[in-house]
Amino acid sequence: MLRASEKPNAVMAHLPALRVLLRHINCLIPPPRTSMPALCTIRATCHFLLLSPKPRKLHATATSKGPENHALLLNRDERVARNVTPSDVVEKGSTIAAIVTSLGGPPGAVGIVRLSGPSAVSVAGRVFRPAKRSKNNDWKPMSHVVEYGVVLDSEGNVIDEVLAVPMLAPKSYTREDVVEIQCHGSEVCLRRVLRTCLEAGATLAQPGEFTLRAFLNGRLDLSQAENVGRLITAKSVAAADAALAGIQACLTRIWFDLILQCNKISLRMQCIELLTEIEARLDFEDEMPPLDLNIIMDKIHSMSQDVESALEAENYDRLLQSGLQIAIVGRPNVGKSSLLNAWSKSERAIVTEIAGTTRDVIEASVSVNGIPITLLDTAGIRDTDDVVEKIGVERSEAVARGADLIIMTVSAVEGWTSEDTKLLERIQSAKSSTGSLIPVILAVNKIDCNPRAETDWDRGCQSHDIFSKRVFTCAVTGQGLQDLERAVLELVGLDAIPSGGRQWTVNQRQCEQLVRTKEALERLQSSIKEELPLDFWTIDLRDAALSLGQIIGEDISEEVLSNIFGKFCIGK
Amino acid sequence: MATTTLFTLHLCRFGQSFSKKLFSTSPSSDTLLNPHHVTFHHKLRRPNSSSVPAFFRRFSAVAAASTSGEANYDGIGTADEKYDVIVVGGGHAGCEAALASARLGARTLLLTLNIDRIAWQPCNPAVGGPAKSQLVHEVDALGGEIGKIADRCYLQKRVLNVSRGPAVRALRAQTDKREYAMQMKSVVESTPNLSIREAMVTDILLGKNDNVEGVCTFFGMKFYAPSVVLTTGTFMSGKIWVGRTSMPAGRAGESASHGLTENLQRLGFETDRLKTGTPARVDIRTVDFSGLEPQHGDKEVSWFSFDPDVHIEREQMCCYLTRTTGRTHQIIRDNLHETPTYGGWVEAKGPRYCPSIEDKIVRFQDKESHQIFLEPEGRSVPELYVQGFSTGLPERLQLPLLRTLPGLENCSMLRPAYAVEYDYLPAHQCARSLMTKKIQGLFFSGQINGTTGYEEAAAQGIISGINAARYADGKQLIVLERESSYIGTLIDDLVTKDLREPYRMLTSRSEHRLLLRSDNADSRLTPLAHEIGLIDDRRWKLYQEKQARISEEKKRLRSVRISGGDLAAEVSRVSGQPVRDSSTLESLLKKPHMQYGILDEHGFGNIELSRIEKECVEIDIKYEGFILRQQSQLQQMVTQQHRQLPEDLDYHMITTLSIEAREKLSKVRPQTIGQASRVGGVSPADITALLIVLEANRRKAQEQSRYKIMNAMRAKALEEEVPEVSCTETVSS
């Protein structure tokens, strides 16, 4: 049921309960002659309830009689309880600690253990001994002043030489007291420091708990919290920049004005204008000129397209986060490793004239328009009896199956060979096994050794339209690498993005809303097609506007109304 | 004491039956008797003998105290002055409030400035229209009166938005305004438990606990009741304007009520001023209709009420359409300085959807002509309402202005157009039960809450009437959630939004209107009304039978299949879609442009169903997908929106809220997150901040309780020997 009762006030709320109580008392004590003594009993009981020295137990009885007699007694109760509770820790929450720099990789010079919570300073004070030791035992740090000292374990042994950075509430990331201990970057040091902190009274932070606290304490809003996560996991400079921009300026609104404006009125405004047109006719039927359905249809169509292009930004954003995996495959000795070296501007792979030099998968990172790309150089695929090379070939095929994109390399000198055809079949079978099509770029390498290949190629080999793109490259001179990058971008649908990367991105939540907008617009179009009455159009338009509105967040009813009154002359 | 009460009851009942014999003009007034009042008296008398309900005791004690200084005529006349509910004002809100309260068995007193003006229609002689008709259907489904009276007194009826979807289909009736007032008056007069008295209420009597105890009138009378409903309309410090001239009045020719505003302000209520207006009336006999476009009523008449007893067709009258001319616009432009708004001597805001003709011409300068509707005001009066032509121009210019309209070249004016300014109390001072937050037992309804329109007034009236009676009876108050009804939406808007212009219900205000249609108003609200006692057994039986027929028919349509034949051919022709063999009738009905009528034509309909029932079946089946989707969306939203906000939340302490949000939320004090989000000036970021605070408080409470449990366990372990004192013992000691 959508009906509910409300509590007019505490007194009202208590009446039924008191009456129940009264009836209860009537059973226990002799019935009063008139009703007035009964009233006195109520009053008395009431006062008694409030002044009772043991209110908690009474409250327990009260709640058992119904939820409405909640308010009054509970509050009194809590005040009493607070006096008995000495511990501030419980009041304010626990103090958490964790290693906040990365572990597992090669050790950095410095690593950080962070403490956050009301007793962060006292916990730190127990483990940290400043070099300039004050006579007072308690550590009383100045906020945002770095102190040099050592960390001691419970037995007083020095564990590490550290810098302590106190950031006192509320001027800290979590808005709680925060102490960051910068110690040496090796895992051993970090774990030992953390352990002493935990022994000194901190609890281990759950993943993301610092950010959760920042969010709960109002330091970050939701989209900012999301951006922090992105900054931490950002793989490339462009991704980090986009995430930083998000944190620094609460740019949600700005992003969407950018995305959805497209040099005209924002998409949401367009929804609202359409709603205005339609709703004005529903509320003021006989005062409005008829609606031009064609114009409405056109508008809806162009809105769908705008949403599509906004979703493209999401695609870019996803790539910024996860990056692309590109497998370079081909027969032995066509120059795969040279290509990788040339592209990544490194000597990552060993290059020799001997076919089958590369036995294992070799990775190298490049960045194309801000998108982090992992290049995977593979062993040349051929039938071989060499046990080691055989394993290498199997790995090559596995890598090809898992990649986002495959660059199949052939040699311009040798041209297309029957082995290439075979290899292509193998890749294709791999593709069909995963079910989804992995785009393949054909790279005709060693073009410098056979410049005529560029013109001859098309005539020489036909029927290779399974390649999504074809480029001519020379790993030695670097020729064609830019074409290769462009081909990659085109294939992942990001060719329109300027080389510096976009200034804004769409995050997952925002993307969801865009998808909902898109769905709403699709439903709208089908409603129109099925010739459903006008009112049904407004349902999906409202949905679309609401989805967009949640991004930048506003109530639409009032807006539609002011629009109607502003735009049309209605009202009798 | 008990005998006094009983005596009063007898007296009251005697008076009622007496007046019924004298004034029983309406043939159906007997049917209006609600059997529930009998049970109420039972309820009252039973506690008298054993334990009297709290309100009675509280009430008697105070009454004795306040009358102690005066001569005591207890048992002769003064007993009459004690009621359960007092309703101040006899307009559309007041009538519904008084009727609902009396029908729920509460002894109700209706105080009005002029008994001859009960349920008067001072402006447009019409009921219904988009969104407003939904309100009327809903009030009727709750057992209210407005729909029945409109059905009895219509001059013309039309369904608007016929082809634009079931949710926006709207019935509008032109009404005979004298007949309307007389019908409503006779219903009010013949309702048991309801007394009427002419009086100007000037003050509210307060009890010790910020509760209302009664009202005080201009002539010094005091009437006592634990519940008081104020429906002051445009009368509170009302002032009417024609041109530059003004006089204190609630309506033309009726005196305003003075003193109440000041006393409410003294109690700490915030008041403000609003303005509205009404156009001139012309003599129908002086209008030449020959060149005007007529607007006829529907051939097949629709009804507001779900009660078939009032479905009695009558002859319809015609409305006409005319337009403003260049000459009209010229006169207005030349005399703008003579109008209150543009001359600058009235500041109160008028409604945007009811702009004066000068507003329309100034704001939409490129429009060469505006539509003007001519509507008769009754069968026996020569007055014609000139809709769309309200103006603040002085009277001397009004007739020349009217005569610029085609058809009105030689018209004579019966009443001039005028504007009225009045006091209202921004409704954020009310809870959703319409009881004020400051004073227990005091309810506001109608224009005092800043609304406009008879339907909006009636909708609030019935809710405040129900709640006033329930409050007096010590029962929980009823709140209609926003998503449950247009009434709920209306009240939610009123109490959360900071409205500074008269509020009119519009379909665009309702986010889930597909679920809030006129056709399902009864299935949404009648069960509630029956439960609380406003729908009698006859209506309840009718309702249940109707629902049974509808669900049977839906079942039948799902099971009956056809293959080929005339029906299939016609359906595929109409819908442009092929009809597969062995299709159910339900699947046929779902096809575009397909209507139940086509089933009827081919003998596949159900002749036992009424037209209204067939329509319900058709809507339920045809739009099933949309309705289900809306319902699930609503469900998702409701779980979030209905999260309660603690009543003692100190918004000023929540520093993550914007300053504006802190101020607005402290002022409005919303009850749920959903309401908070609708408060003007509260951004989604503020709502996130609020959610965070709730979440943080929840975690804190959780941790505290965990700590307490641990402490208790520790304490228990330490003091095993201390005996537990049982709770009952503590209470009875």
Side-chain angles (χ1 to χ4, degrees):
Chain A
M1 273 306 287
L2 291 161
R3 149 174 62 95
S5 52
E6 79 185 309
K7 287 178 279 175
N9 77 344
V11 178
M12 235 334 247
H14 279 275
L15 283 179
L18 290 179
R19 231 171 280 143
V20 172
L21 214 57
L22 173 64
R23 214 169 293 150
H24 189 59
I25 291 165
N26 278 343
C27 306
L28 293 174
I29 58 175
R33 275 187 190 170
T34 66
S35 52
M36 283 316 278
L39 176 67
C40 299
T41 323
I42 295 193
R43 289 258 164 83
T45 322
C46 192
H47 284 294
F48 179 71
L49 283 168
L50 300 182
L51 302 172
S52 163
K54 286 181 180 171
R56 261 165 66 186
K57 281 177 183 150
L58 280 170
H59 173 240
T61 20
T63 35
S64 67
K65 292 211 168 91
E68 65 264 39
N69 33 16
H70 206 254
L72 201 63
L73 294 177
L74 185 67
N75 289 345
R76 310 265 159 161
D77 197 36
E78 206 177 61
R79 196 158 51 87
V80 178
R82 198 170 296 153
N83 290 339
V84 240
T85 315
S87 169
D88 283 338
V89 182
V90 174
E91 290 289 319
K92 291 180 191 164
S94 57
T95 295
I96 51 172
I99 300 165
V100 290
T101 43
S102 87
L103 287 176
V110 174
I112 297 174
V113 172
R114 180 191 284 155
L115 286 155
S116 174
S119 50
V121 171
S122 72
V123 170
R126 259 165 258 163
V127 300
F128 173 70
R129 197 178 66 197
K132 285 182 196 167
R133 203 174 169 173
S134 60
K135 277 166 197 164
N136 202 325
N137 239 358
D138 283 354
W139 185 48
K140 279 185 185 147
M142 288 249 297
S143 187
H144 295 81
V145 173
V146 179
E147 282 191 61
Y148 170 73
V150 289
V151 168
L152 307 170
D153 69 11
S154 51
E155 272 135 3
N157 303 318
V158 174
I159 292 172
D160 201 356
E161 214 182 352
V162 299
L163 290 177
V165 186
M167 288 164 273
L168 304 184
K171 288 166 104 181
S172 74
Y173 178 65
T174 55
R175 284 209 173 150
E176 300 171 326
D177 284 348
V178 168
V179 178
E180 287 187 353
I181 301 173
Q182 301 183 356
C183 45
H184 289 110
S186 82
E187 203 169 329
V188 185
C189 287
L190 281 165
R191 289 203 186 282
R192 277 170 69 183
V193 171
L194 175 64
R195 200 169 57 227
T196 28
C197 289
L198 298 183
E199 284 167 359
T203 53
L204 186 65
Q206 301 293 313
E209 199 173 348
F210 290 111
T211 303
L212 176 69
R213 285 186 176 208
F215 169 70
L216 282 179
N217 294 329
R219 165 71 168 72
L220 301 174
D221 68 27
L222 202 55
S223 63
Q224 285 176 318
E226 281 168 358
N227 281 320
V228 171
R230 291 143 52 85
L231 183 60
I232 291 164
T233 54
K235 280 192 177 168
S236 75
V237 178
D241 282 349
L244 256 183
I247 301 167
Q248 283 165 351
C250 317
L251 281 178
T252 337
R253 177 180 287 268
I254 298 165
W255 291 339
F256 275 84
D257 284 354
L258 275 173
I259 298 173
L260 305 178
Q261 259 174 1
C262 307
N263 301 325
K264 38 192 173 180
I265 331 159
S266 81
L267 197 52
R268 186 169 162 284
M269 237 8 256
Q270 291 181 45
C271 284
I272 298 220
E273 296 222 322
L274 278 183
L275 267 176
T276 305
E277 290 283 342
I278 296 173
E279 303 236 350
R281 281 163 180 84
L282 297 175
D283 269 320
F284 304 96
E285 188 205 26
D286 39 14
E287 299 165 59
M288 300 283 302
L291 206 59
D292 188 331
L293 291 189
N294 288 329
I295 293 179
I296 300 262
M297 298 281 280
D298 286 350
K299 277 189 183 164
I300 291 168
H301 188 68
S302 82
M303 275 158 52
S304 300
Q305 282 178 335
D306 288 351
V307 173
E308 292 284 350
S309 66
L311 275 170
E312 241 167 58
E314 193 275 327
N315 195 19
Y316 172 68
D317 195 52
R318 197 168 42 75
L319 288 175
L320 276 184
Q321 293 298 309
S322 59
L324 272 180
Q325 300 253 318
I326 299 179
I328 305 174
V329 301
R331 288 185 294 112
N333 213 7
V334 290
K336 298 183 293 297
S337 300
S338 314
L339 198 61
L340 176 121
N341 285 347
W343 201 353
S344 64
K345 299 189 179 69
S346 70
E347 296 297 323
R348 200 68 192 85
I350 301 163
V351 181
T352 67
E353 289 300 314
I354 306 156
T357 303
T358 308
R359 293 288 174 96
D360 206 346
V361 179
I362 290 172
E363 288 185 20
S365 295
V366 294
S367 169
V368 177
N369 281 13
I371 299 169
I373 290 177
T374 308
L375 295 176
L376 303 162
D377 182 23
T378 64
I381 296 172
R382 64 172 171 185
D383 290 325
T384 173
D385 295 329
D386 184 326
V387 183
V388 179
E389 197 184 349
K390 210 171 185 175
I391 297 172
V393 169
E394 275 165 23
R395 286 194 181 177
S396 299
E397 285 173 3
V399 161
R401 270 196 291 274
D404 297 306
L405 207 149
I406 296 170
I407 297 177
M408 176 164 168
T409 318
V410 296
S411 162
V413 181
E414 291 158 52
W416 187 264
T417 65
S418 59
E419 279 158 3
D420 286 322
T421 313
K422 235 188 247 172
L423 196 147
L424 189 62
E425 276 165 13
R426 277 170 114 150
I427 299 173
Q428 274 183 299
S429 71
K431 265 203 279 189
S432 54
S433 74
T434 56
S436 63
L437 286 170
I438 304 168
V440 183
I441 299 175
L442 178 65
V444 183
N445 199 19
K446 302 186 182 174
I447 196 72
D448 55 328
C449 303
N450 183 10
R452 278 181 50 230
E454 212 164 321
T455 44
D456 293 349
W457 193 262
D458 289 319
R459 255 181 289 140
C461 80
Q462 351 40 16
S463 81
H464 293 128
D465 34 325
I466 73 147
F467 294 114
S468 317
K469 291 277 173 208
R470 192 205 59 217
V471 288
F472 297 97
T473 56
C474 171
V476 179
T477 60
Q479 182 193 340
L481 284 178
Q482 281 192 344
D483 295 337
L484 195 56
E485 287 189 357
R486 209 172 299 127
V488 168
L489 287 180
E490 265 177 59
L491 281 183
V492 294
L494 295 169
D495 47 315
I497 289 167
S499 58
R502 290 203 187 184
Q503 291 307 299
W504 37 265
T505 57
V506 183
N507 71 21
Q508 203 52 45
R509 199 165 45 88
Q510 294 159 339
C511 163
E512 246 175 66
Q513 287 159 344
L514 278 176
V515 170
R516 276 178 46 204
T517 310
K518 192 180 143 200
E519 285 169 358
L521 289 176
E522 277 165 6
R523 283 197 303 268
L524 175 58
Q525 278 168 323
S526 86
S527 294
I528 294 172
K529 217 184 202 170
E530 283 172 36
E531 294 174 47
L532 277 162
L534 205 56
D535 183 37
F536 288 90
W537 304 14
T538 65
I539 293 175
D540 291 314
L541 263 179
R542 235 165 224 274
D543 268 4
L546 264 178
S547 307
L548 293 167
Q550 278 174 0
I551 299 172
I552 59 173
E554 266 144 33
D555 171 32
I556 51 171
S557 289
E558 272 311 307
E559 213 169 325
V560 171
L561 278 177
S562 357
N563 247 0
I564 291 178
F565 298 131
K567 201 166 170 185
F568 304 114
C569 177
I570 35 84
K572 294 171 174 180
Chain B
M1 207 214 98
T3 42
T4 320
T5 320
L6 279 177
F7 175 71
T8 322
L9 285 176
H10 279 295
L11 197 76
C12 174
R13 286 173 116 188
F14 172 72
Q16 286 300 341
S17 51
F18 183 61
S19 70
K20 212 181 88 198
K21 272 179 196 140
L22 271 180
F23 303 111
S24 181
T25 46
S26 155
S28 58
S29 66
D30 275 338
T31 63
L32 296 161
L33 281 176
N34 193 305
H36 287 280
H37 75 276
V38 182
T39 46
F40 188 91
H41 285 299
H42 272 299
K43 274 185 209 153
L44 285 188
R45 230 175 282 141
R46 195 179 46 217
N48 256 347
S49 51
S50 56
S51 63
V52 184
F55 77 86
F56 252 137
R57 268 174 276 105
R58 189 177 63 201
F59 163 68
S60 335
V62 174
S66 59
T67 48
S68 60
E70 299 158 19
N72 196 348
Y73 301 111
D74 234 11
I76 306 169
T78 19
D80 268 349
E81 296 167 13
K82 295 171 190 166
Y83 296 86
D84 296 326
V85 173
I86 295 173
V87 176
V88 179
H92 302 269
C95 286
E96 292 292 351
L99 287 172
S101 157
R103 285 168 182 170
L104 286 176
R107 284 171 310 140
T108 307
L109 173 67
L110 177 65
L111 294 174
T112 173
L113 285 166
N114 184 350
I115 289 183
D116 297 326
R117 282 287 186 271
I118 281 179
W120 194 242
Q121 295 180 314
C123 195
N124 196 350
V127 169
K132 287 169 173 265
S133 69
Q134 272 90 331
L135 285 175
V136 177
H137 288 294
E138 287 178 357
V139 170
D140 184 79
L142 284 172
E145 207 58 39
I146 183 171
K148 289 181 183 176
I149 306 285
D151 280 342
R152 286 207 193 102
C153 309
Y154 72 93
L155 296 175
Q156 184 199 80
K157 274 193 177 180
R158 283 177 63 205
V159 175
L160 311 175
N161 284 337
V162 179
S163 60
R164 289 177 172 164
V168 291
R169 225 168 272 163
L171 176 59
R172 186 169 63 204
Q174 301 299 137
T175 51
D176 185 321
K177 82 169 174 194
R178 270 164 217 276
E179 196 186 359
Y180 187 100
M182 272 163 54
Q183 287 271 359
M184 184 65 99
K185 188 173 169 227
S186 75
V187 170
V188 168
E189 283 168 344
S190 58
T191 298
N193 295 328
L194 180 53
S195 319
I196 312 172
R197 181 122 155 208
E198 264 185 19
M200 183 196 286
V201 169
T202 53
D203 202 359
I204 303 292
L205 302 174
L206 279 197
K208 289 195 186 84
N209 304 315
D210 277 346
N211 60 307
V212 74
E213 269 178 353
V215 295
C216 181
T217 71
F218 182 78
F219 295 119
M221 276 299 292
K222 285 178 178 159
F223 297 96
Y224 293 99
S227 292
V228 171
V229 184
L230 291 187
T231 69
T232 53
T234 57
F235 282 79
M236 218 160 54
S237 309
K239 192 182 203 182
I240 64 171
W241 289 89
V242 178
R244 269 176 199 280
T245 321
S246 72
M247 72 192 253
R251 294 190 285 241
E254 292 177 70
S255 74
S257 115
H258 289 285
L260 189 52
T261 310
E262 290 72 16
N263 283 319
L264 286 171
Q265 280 169 341
R266 195 172 39 77
L267 297 178
F269 285 105
E270 177 193 341
T271 67
D272 205 345
R273 226 150 152 74
L274 285 176
K275 181 193 90 170
T276 186
T278 190
R281 311 297 199 275
V282 297
D283 192 329
I284 202 166
R285 296 163 297 189
T286 59
V287 177
D288 174 16
F289 292 108
S290 60
L292 302 182
E293 182 188 322
Q295 274 198 320
H296 297 282
D298 287 345
K299 287 207 173 65
E300 202 165 20
V301 178
S302 303
W303 306 97
F304 287 112
S305 178
F306 292 98
D307 186 348
D309 280 11
V310 295
H311 296 181
I312 301 159
E313 284 199 38
R314 29 165 49 206
E315 199 188 326
Q316 298 197 50
M317 288 177 80
C318 196
C319 296
Y320 292 89
L321 189 62
T322 182
R323 307 194 69 90
T324 58
T325 58
R327 181 90 190 101
T328 321
H329 293 219
Q330 195 53 50
I331 291 182
I332 286 171
R333 272 196 288 267
D334 291 349
N335 293 286
L336 267 184
H337 58 281
E338 302 257 26
T339 67
T341 317
Y342 296 94
W345 61 86
V346 171
E347 279 174 20
K349 268 190 191 165
R352 285 177 295 178
Y353 38 76
C354 238
S356 60
I357 188 68
E358 52 265 21
D359 269 349
K360 291 187 195 177
I361 286 165
V362 170
R363 291 185 46 220
F364 300 95
Q365 299 199 340
D366 47 338
K367 232 180 150 188
E368 284 169 10
S369 177
H370 298 270
Q371 285 183 326
I372 302 295
F373 295 84
L374 303 174
E375 301 168 356
E377 293 213 307
R379 291 175 199 276
S380 54
V381 287
E383 283 171 68
L384 196 64
Y385 182 87
V386 188
Q387 189 176 62
F389 211 63
S390 77
T391 175
L393 282 172
E395 189 169 351
R396 64 184 160 81
L397 291 171
Q398 287 189 18
L399 188 60
L401 195 65
L402 283 167
R403 287 186 167 174
T404 61
L405 301 176
L408 276 71
E409 293 89 350
N410 300 308
C411 75
S412 63
M413 187 168 75
L414 292 171
R415 303 170 195 257
Y418 68 89
V420 58
E421 257 190 299
Y422 55 95
D423 285 334
Y424 79 106
L425 286 88
H428 63 77
Q429 301 171 96
C430 289
R432 287 179 295 168
S433 57
L434 292 179
M435 183 153 87
T436 57
K437 294 174 181 170
K438 279 209 173 65
I439 292 171
Q440 300 299 308
L442 182 61
F443 296 80
F444 292 158
S445 274
Q447 278 167 307
I448 192 172
N449 279 339
T451 61
T452 166
Y454 317 137
E455 302 83 353
E456 287 85 346
Q460 294 169 68
I462 193 163
I463 296 298
S464 61
I466 290 170
N467 281 332
R470 288 179 71 86
Y471 180 76
D473 198 16
K475 287 180 179 155
Q476 279 198 317
L477 304 190
I478 300 282
V479 171
L480 293 181
E481 291 287 355
R482 182 180 185 87
E483 301 80 22
S484 71
S485 53
Y486 271 81
I487 301 179
T489 310
L490 164 76
I491 294 175
D492 187 81
D493 274 349
L494 288 183
V495 303
T496 50
K497 293 187 175 164
D498 197 15
L499 304 162
R500 296 291 157 173
E501 68 166 338
Y503 179 98
R504 169 177 162 182
M505 201 64 220
L506 295 161
T507 55
S508 17
R509 295 195 197 269
S510 170
E511 294 86 356
H512 297 277
R513 62 173 171 242
L514 185 59
L515 304 176
L516 310 181
R517 306 181 308 273
S518 356
D519 65 274
N520 70 357
D522 57 345
S523 54
R524 285 184 283 126
L525 297 170
T526 299
L528 166 69
H530 179 247
E531 198 183 312
I532 62 174
L534 265 185
I535 288 284
D536 60 21
D537 291 341
R538 182 188 64 88
R539 275 280 295 269
W540 182 239
K541 190 160 165 279
L542 285 171
Y543 166 78
Q544 283 182 311
E545 285 166 358
K546 177 183 169 190
Q547 299 306 316
R549 276 195 299 275
I550 291 172
S551 89
E552 272 304 303
E553 176 65 1
K554 285 198 281 189
K555 222 184 273 172
R556 184 185 75 86
L557 292 178
R558 262 197 298 276
S559 56
V560 175
R561 291 172 185 276
I562 60 151
S563 294
D566 287 352
L567 178 60
E570 167 129 30
V571 170
S572 59
R573 190 184 59 76
V574 168
S575 67
Q577 290 181 358
V579 175
R580 270 183 282 163
D581 274 359
S582 167
S583 292
T584 60
L585 293 180
E586 184 189 47
S587 69
L588 296 185
L589 205 48
K590 283 191 177 199
K591 292 195 180 291
H593 302 295
M594 176 63 194
Q595 286 172 333
Y596 194 98
I598 298 179
L599 295 183
D600 273 338
E601 283 165 26
H602 291 81
F604 285 93
N606 184 344
I607 45 161
E608 281 172 25
L609 257 58
S610 69
R611 179 166 60 92
I612 296 164
E613 288 159 358
K614 285 174 185 170
E615 200 181 286
C616 292
V617 169
E618 186 182 308
I619 292 169
D620 284 358
I621 288 178
K622 237 178 147 47
Y623 306 114
E624 191 186 10
F626 270 92
I627 292 171
L628 286 179
R629 187 154 56 85
Q630 286 259 296
Q631 228 146 18
S632 75
Q633 272 180 5
L634 186 70
Q635 214 54 49
Q636 282 168 16
M637 195 205 66
V638 157
T639 43
Q640 171 80 314
Q641 300 250 305
H642 288 191
R643 277 184 72 173
Q644 297 282 322
L645 288 169
E647 274 174 46
D648 55 351
L649 203 57
D650 185 353
Y651 294 103
H652 286 296
M653 295 299 289
I654 304 174
T655 49
T656 45
L657 291 175
S658 67
I659 304 282
E660 190 187 5
R662 279 182 243 174
E663 273 164 15
K664 290 277 170 62
L665 288 171
S666 302
K667 187 171 163 193
V668 175
R669 300 214 67 81
Q671 288 155 312
T672 62
I673 283 282
Q675 273 192 300
S677 69
R678 290 186 288 274
V679 172
V682 175
S683 72
D686 293 321
I687 294 302
T688 314
L690 261 187
L691 284 170
I692 290 170
V693 168
L694 289 188
E695 170 65 15
N697 285 349
R698 194 187 61 81
R699 284 161 164 253
K700 211 176 276 176
Q702 211 175 15
E703 233 171 299
Q704 261 168 4
S705 74
R706 201 182 303 145
Y707 185 81
K708 260 186 230 163
I709 291 167
M710 278 170 60
N711 248 10
M713 279 163 67
R714 210 175 300 150
K716 209 175 168 185
L718 285 174
E719 313 170 42
E720 281 283 19
E721 71 280 7
V722 176
E724 283 270 312
V725 181
S726 103
C727 303
T728 3
E729 280 173 73
T730 322
V731 175
S732 46
S733 69

